[in-house]
Amino acid sequence: MDRKTYTAELAALRELRAEITTAEKAVATAQNKLDKLTAQRARRVSGLTAHEGAKADAIAKAAGLQVVDVVRIAPLLDPTPPAIRAAQAEAQAVPAEAPKGVPASELATAVAPALTRPAAVVEQPAPAPAVEAPAETEEQPAPAAPVTAAPVVPTAPVAPAAAVVRSAAASGPRELPTLPEGPAGARFEAVTTGLVSKRPPYVQHARNTVFLDAATGDLTVRDRVVRLDLGARTPGEILDAALHAAPGTERIYITAGAPWHDGAERYSTLKDAVAAWLNAPSERWTTAVGSGRDKLAGHFVHQRQPVGRYAPAAAPDSGTTEIRSIGEWFDPDGADVVTCRQAFTLLWQALRRHWADAVLLGSPSQTGRDLWSRTIPTTGKWAGGYPVLSEELRGLLHATGGQGRTELILPPRVPEQLPALVEYDRTFAYAKHLWKSPVGTPRRITAAAFAAMTEQEQVKALMSCSHWNIKVTVPAGWNHVGLLPAPVTGDRAWVYPSEPGATFTTWAGGAEVHLALSNHIAPWRIEILGGLLFEDGKPLDEWGKRLKAAWADLTNLSRIHADERQRAAAYLASRAVRSVLLFGLGGFAQRPRLVSGTTPVGEALPAGVEILGQDDQVVTWQRQAGFRRDPYAHPEWAAYVWSGARAALLDVKYREGKEVVGYAGALHAKPGSVVYFGTDGMGLTERQPWPYRGEPGDYLLKGHLTGPVEHPKSQEEYLKLRGLGRAELAAGGER
């Protein structure tokens, strides 16, 4: 072939490439349309089962399907006689012959391989306990047992979940949802049509805000402080006094005094007292109502951070004034109104250095989400925004993705008399886990598909953004804390079994599953029942970097500023940045709405409500209102970050560049020394040699209570002891 012919063939090949690309797009469009039509047909077929006379053959003919396909979609239409169906079921109950060398009990699951880790024990002989290395020497790796990439290995049958959660005697196991088969399962690999997170086309406007100490009556109005007479401190009296001193006020932050707790002793619960205060009658003010179909009351009933929204009774459409708690943003810890106002000023200034259009909204959650929306990329794959998962998949993530780990570990796993109580807290913890997050439509991974992967592919899947339905077995000889959450009924919702041989079924994020397989003590047995594998992306990375930079600026200012008030304000502002990230992330979870409202006494209440309180005029209630059609609903992001944070409570790597130079976390403390886990911190019985560099994710020593200390029997007792430990450390006590 000469050069001229070669050049001509290249040109023809380019034309062919363009035609193929066009054809592929047409096929993809057609396939997408076909999938939607097929799903619509399945829904209509299922809907026809509501008719008593529905028959599979007639529906099959109308739908263009075989009868067997109709029965697969709607099993109620199965025309097989009951006797024959029973015989078939009995025959199917007899297990089919298993392939040689593989027990029949293993065919429905795939066992994840144990993962090796540099300078770490991969497996230790059972039942010998883990050996603690001296603090001044590096722990040496024990000889590792050979690791084979066997996706299916013979094991004893998994015990039922009822026999699993032995540490939760007061609670029973809770069954979690799984991914359904057939057309119903397709909704778990889909996004919501027409719902995408996009950059907002508008600029937020600041609201006129004042800060009020309800105990003293001090109110900040710009750069001056006035003293108000608040009367009986009802919402109406507070609004009258504040707007007289500062006309046009749209938001009042209460910095001290908590007037919503006045007379709380007259009510059975604190929530009842708050609801009664929010709805105290007033001739001049009425409850601001929302817009839309429900016309819901504007108040948010919360025990300690309620939100009251009021409008003038004479002109309810003229505007709204909010009464809120400063505790949404930070604990003022005795700071006066001037310092609190200065903290908000410093916060706004710090954020404006990274967002030219930053505005502080009513809550850190609203502010965090608004700031994130202004980091959505304008170029690249996600320039058009991030799609929102289907409602079914969001519901699955809400049901199976827990938040922070809260656990009080009781004797005999820890001593009755603690030699000391030492508190460590991870600094700005969640900021450490925003660099990678799941994006796009997930791919469903079945047990069979996982088993068919190579070991390298399995490890890659577990280390990717993923969410797994698993059966877990605690290894023999395990004598440390639990690693994976098990679902239970009751207030706790999740427990962390650690008894050797305990088995349970759960869901967990890839970070936790990977840690269970690769921890330096002993790999846990993980059987993959199924999972969701997302594309790795960085939707939160830019948002996190900017918030970390603002936090670092304010933290440094709180240490070096010459003025004591400014140092205190900068510290409070840095805590507010933490709240923006923490509650902004929680806002992505977008759990089913809990809305509140009021109904005059004697009128019928809406269906499905929970009564919060009642006075002579109205009944205050709340109810679940399902999911909003929220373009910023991304529970997959919150679940992934929470999973990474739970794993980091157990194991954290310290790096210099790419080199790992040390470890921290509960698994690097002595067995039996961990007393409490609390979201991003823990209580132990002794000091740890964990370095603190002041960076997000580092473990900071927060408290030290000299022992002996009686082991706390409840979370409330632990929190009291924790407060004593913080006070002792701050006073320069025993270290």
Side-chain angles (χ1 to χ4, degrees):
M1 178 182 294
D2 57 20
R3 184 171 184 80
K4 183 177 180 180
T5 305
Y6 174 76
T7 303
E9 285 296 319
L10 281 179
L13 191 58
R14 293 189 190 98
E15 293 177 1
L16 184 60
R17 180 191 65 187
E19 292 178 5
I20 290 174
T21 300
T22 301
E24 287 176 341
K25 290 181 179 178
V27 170
T29 301
Q31 184 63 50
N32 186 42
K33 183 177 181 180
L34 177 60
D35 291 343
K36 291 180 179 179
L37 293 173
T38 302
Q40 183 180 0
R41 178 174 64 183
R43 288 194 295 271
R44 290 192 175 184
V45 168
S46 297
L48 289 172
T49 59
H51 180 57
E52 291 184 2
K55 293 184 178 180
D57 53 351
I59 295 175
K61 185 175 181 180
L65 295 171
Q66 300 292 325
V67 171
V68 66
D69 296 324
V70 172
V71 171
R72 189 179 296 113
I73 297 171
L76 291 175
L77 298 177
D78 189 351
T80 306
I84 297 177
R85 195 180 307 141
Q88 291 175 344
E90 184 177 351
Q92 291 173 357
V94 179
E97 184 177 355
K100 293 182 179 180
V102 182
S105 61
E106 291 298 317
L107 294 180
T109 63
V111 177
L115 308 178
T116 58
R117 180 166 111 177
V121 179
V122 175
E123 184 174 332
Q124 63 180 18
V131 178
E132 175 72 7
E136 61 272 16
T137 62
E138 290 190 4
E139 185 176 357
Q140 297 299 316
V147 178
T148 57
V152 180
V153 297
T155 61
V158 176
V164 172
V165 191
R166 303 167 189 167
S167 60
S171 303
R174 174 167 52 93
E175 186 175 351
L176 296 178
T178 57
L179 294 169
E181 301 293 339
R187 293 292 299 153
F188 290 82
E189 298 178 82
V191 296
T192 302
T193 304
L195 198 58
V196 179
S197 303
K198 296 181 179 180
R199 273 184 178 250
Y202 53 83
V203 176
Q204 293 283 5
H205 295 286
R207 302 187 69 176
N208 294 329
T209 301
V210 296
F211 299 83
L212 172 67
D213 184 331
T216 64
D218 288 344
L219 177 82
T220 58
V221 182
R222 295 182 177 86
D223 57 351
R224 62 191 179 93
V225 178
V226 297
R227 180 64 61 87
L228 305 182
D229 180 2
L230 301 179
R233 307 201 312 172
T234 64
E237 290 170 303
I238 289 175
L239 291 165
D240 286 341
L243 269 76
H244 181 266
T249 294
E250 298 171 277
R251 184 176 294 136
I252 302 170
Y253 281 114
I254 304 295
T255 65
W260 40 81
H261 290 162
D262 289 351
E265 67 280 358
R266 302 196 305 268
Y267 299 89
S268 57
T269 68
L270 201 56
K271 204 167 188 178
D272 288 344
V274 172
W277 184 86
L278 289 170
N279 292 289
S282 171
E283 294 182 357
R284 291 172 46 80
W285 298 93
T286 185
T287 302
V289 296
S291 59
R293 293 172 297 176
D294 289 332
K295 285 287 183 182
L296 298 171
H299 301 324
F300 174 66
V301 182
H302 186 278
Q303 290 93 324
R304 290 176 177 80
Q305 278 99 46
V307 180
R309 298 183 179 94
Y310 301 92
D317 296 328
S318 62
T320 299
T321 301
E322 295 180 338
I323 299 178
R324 310 186 73 115
S325 168
I326 199 76
E328 294 182 77
W329 294 86
F330 51 74
D331 178 3
D333 194 24
D336 59 26
V337 290
V338 175
T339 303
C340 290
R341 181 182 183 275
Q342 186 60 35
F344 268 70
T345 300
L346 292 174
L347 171 63
W348 176 76
Q349 292 172 344
L351 294 175
R352 289 281 285 196
R353 286 193 283 271
H354 305 282
W355 281 275
D357 52 356
V359 171
L360 299 183
L361 304 183
S363 70
S365 174
Q366 295 168 335
T367 303
R369 193 170 72 171
D370 181 70
L371 293 175
W372 171 80
S373 70
R374 299 172 194 281
T375 66
I376 296 174
T378 55
T379 60
K381 181 176 181 179
W382 305 107
Y386 295 98
V388 175
L389 301 179
S390 68
E391 188 167 325
E392 290 84 350
L393 184 48
R394 280 181 279 153
L396 176 76
L397 289 167
H398 289 311
T400 60
Q403 297 188 30
R405 178 173 181 171
T406 302
E407 180 185 20
L408 178 64
I409 300 174
L410 299 172
R413 294 169 59 191
V414 291
E416 291 278 2
Q417 290 282 333
L418 306 180
L421 185 60
V422 183
E423 179 196 358
Y424 283 91
D425 183 73
R426 293 187 70 215
T427 297
F428 206 19
Y430 286 170
K432 185 72 172 179
H433 304 284
L434 302 177
W435 65 278
K436 183 175 76 170
S437 302
V439 290
T441 307
R443 177 164 61 97
R444 180 176 182 175
I445 305 295
T446 64
F450 188 86
M453 293 179 179
T454 65
E455 181 179 353
Q456 185 177 6
E457 291 171 335
Q458 290 177 341
V459 173
K460 182 179 179 181
L462 292 170
M463 294 183 68
S464 298
C465 296
S466 51
H467 193 56
W468 300 97
N469 187 199
I470 53 178
K471 284 184 179 179
V472 182
T473 302
V474 182
W478 185 263
N479 67 341
H480 221 302
V481 298
L483 304 187
L484 292 166
V488 293
T489 57
D491 294 338
R492 292 183 62 188
W494 303 92
V495 295
Y496 293 80
S498 61
E499 298 84 354
T503 61
F504 55 96
T505 301
T506 190
W507 283 81
E512 293 169 281
V513 176
H514 184 266
L515 175 63
L517 293 166
S518 66
N519 74 85
H520 66 282
I521 299 175
W524 286 32
R525 176 182 170 81
I526 307 292
E527 298 177 74
I528 302 296
L529 306 178
L532 295 165
L533 185 60
F534 290 82
E535 178 183 342
D536 291 352
K538 293 182 174 293
L540 304 178
D541 188 47
E542 180 63 26
W543 180 65
K545 286 178 179 177
R546 297 188 193 185
L547 288 177
K548 283 188 285 187
W551 172 82
D553 292 344
L554 291 166
T555 300
N556 290 334
L557 187 64
S558 71
R559 294 169 179 162
I560 66 175
H561 202 288
D563 183 78
E564 183 178 352
R565 183 188 293 277
Q566 289 290 90
R567 289 200 304 271
Y571 173 75
L572 295 179
S574 72
R575 300 300 293 170
V577 174
R578 175 184 179 275
S579 296
V580 168
L581 189 149
L582 181 68
F583 295 111
L585 180 67
F588 288 125
Q590 202 262 297
R591 299 189 179 278
R593 289 180 298 162
L594 188 65
V595 297
S596 59
T598 57
T599 300
V601 173
E603 292 188 11
L605 296 173
V609 302
E610 173 192 357
I611 297 176
L612 298 178
Q614 179 177 339
D615 57 25
D616 295 338
Q617 298 183 11
V618 297
V619 177
T620 304
W621 47 262
Q622 68 180 14
R623 70 177 180 187
Q624 292 277 357
F627 290 100
R628 285 189 293 263
R629 189 173 168 82
D630 186 351
Y632 299 113
H634 289 285
E636 69 276 19
W637 298 347
Y640 187 76
V641 172
W642 290 334
S643 174
R646 290 194 299 269
L649 276 180
L650 304 169
D651 180 66
V652 167
K653 299 178 179 64
Y654 290 97
R655 300 180 184 272
E656 289 183 2
K658 293 185 178 180
E659 182 184 358
V660 177
V661 296
Y663 296 94
L667 290 182
H668 300 278
K670 288 181 181 179
S673 66
V674 181
V675 178
Y676 182 81
F677 287 106
T679 305
D680 53 5
M682 70 183 78
L684 304 105
T685 60
E686 60 185 19
R687 293 283 189 95
Q688 302 298 322
W690 301 337
Y692 182 71
R693 304 162 299 180
E695 298 179 6
D698 284 359
Y699 278 94
L700 172 66
L701 178 66
K702 290 288 290 290
H704 185 129
L705 184 60
T706 304
V709 179
E710 190 74 23
H711 187 288
K713 300 301 187 292
S714 66
Q715 183 178 11
E716 290 72 22
E717 288 186 20
Y718 170 80
L719 295 177
K720 290 179 182 178
L721 294 175
R722 186 185 72 176
L724 295 175
R726 290 182 177 182
E728 180 179 319
L729 184 66
E734 179 65 30
R735 305 228 174 158

